[in-house]
């Protein structure tokens, strides 16, 4: 199966211990694992890690306006559209 996991923190971080455990366990059972998160400073849009792929949402506007428009909150329509597009692109079976 193709499994996606959404986190509001830029991955990898110390706060995301559960995500790493999900990734390790699901990968060991043969599943493809994708993490969807905001991009931090100096992080690329896509990165491969030992258990799958990290797909990062990057702000297209600099400064405080960009941070507000692209903020990782559940009701942000920009994020919702990005998630929808990514889920279709990767044809995910399940999203956590």
């Amino acid at each position: 199966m193709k499994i996606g996991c959404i986190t509001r923190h830029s991955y990898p971080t110390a706060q995301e211990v559960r995500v790493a455990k999900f990734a390790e366990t699901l990968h060991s059972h043969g599943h493809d694992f994708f993490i969807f998160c905001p991009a931090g400073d100096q992080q690329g849009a896509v990165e491969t890690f030992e258990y799958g792929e990290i797909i990062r949402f990057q702000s297209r506007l600099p400064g405080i306006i960009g941070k507000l428009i692209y903020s990782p909150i559940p009701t942000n329509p920009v994020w919702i559209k990005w998630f929808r597009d990514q889920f279709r692109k990767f044809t995910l079976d399940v999203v956590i």
Side-chain angles (χ1 to χ4, degrees), residues 26-95:
L26 293 168
H27 178 76
S28 71
H29 285 87
H31 301 292
D32 294 330
F33 194 79
F34 301 88
I35 297 173
F36 298 92
C37 63
D41 296 333
Q42 308 300 319
Q43 290 181 320
V46 177
E47 181 181 338
T48 301
F49 74 117
E50 63 185 304
Y51 306 120
E53 266 187 89
I54 303 167
I55 314 300
R56 295 188 180 100
F57 185 68
Q58 296 181 314
S59 172
R60 295 185 184 118
L61 296 172
I64 192 123
I65 298 298
K67 287 184 180 187
L68 288 173
I69 292 172
Y70 293 96
S71 63
I73 56 174
T75 58
N76 183 337
V78 176
W79 268 85
I80 292 169
K81 182 187 179 321
W82 182 76
F83 284 137
R84 186 188 68 218
D85 295 346
Q86 296 303 310
F87 298 164
R88 286 182 179 160
K89 177 181 175 182
F90 291 98
T91 60
L92 299 179
D93 298 306
V94 175
V95 178

Side-chain angles (χ1 to χ4, degrees), residues 2-46:
K2 290 184 176 181
I3 300 171
C5 182
I6 300 171
T7 177
R8 68 175 218 83
H9 300 286
S10 178
Y11 189 85
T13 61
Q15 296 105 323
E16 298 301 338
V17 175
R18 281 187 230 161
V19 174
K21 288 181 181 181
F22 287 152
E24 181 181 10
T25 301
L26 293 168
H27 178 76
S28 71
H29 285 87
H31 301 292
D32 294 330
F33 194 79
F34 301 88
I35 297 173
F36 298 92
C37 63
D41 296 333
Q42 308 300 319
Q43 290 181 320
V46 177

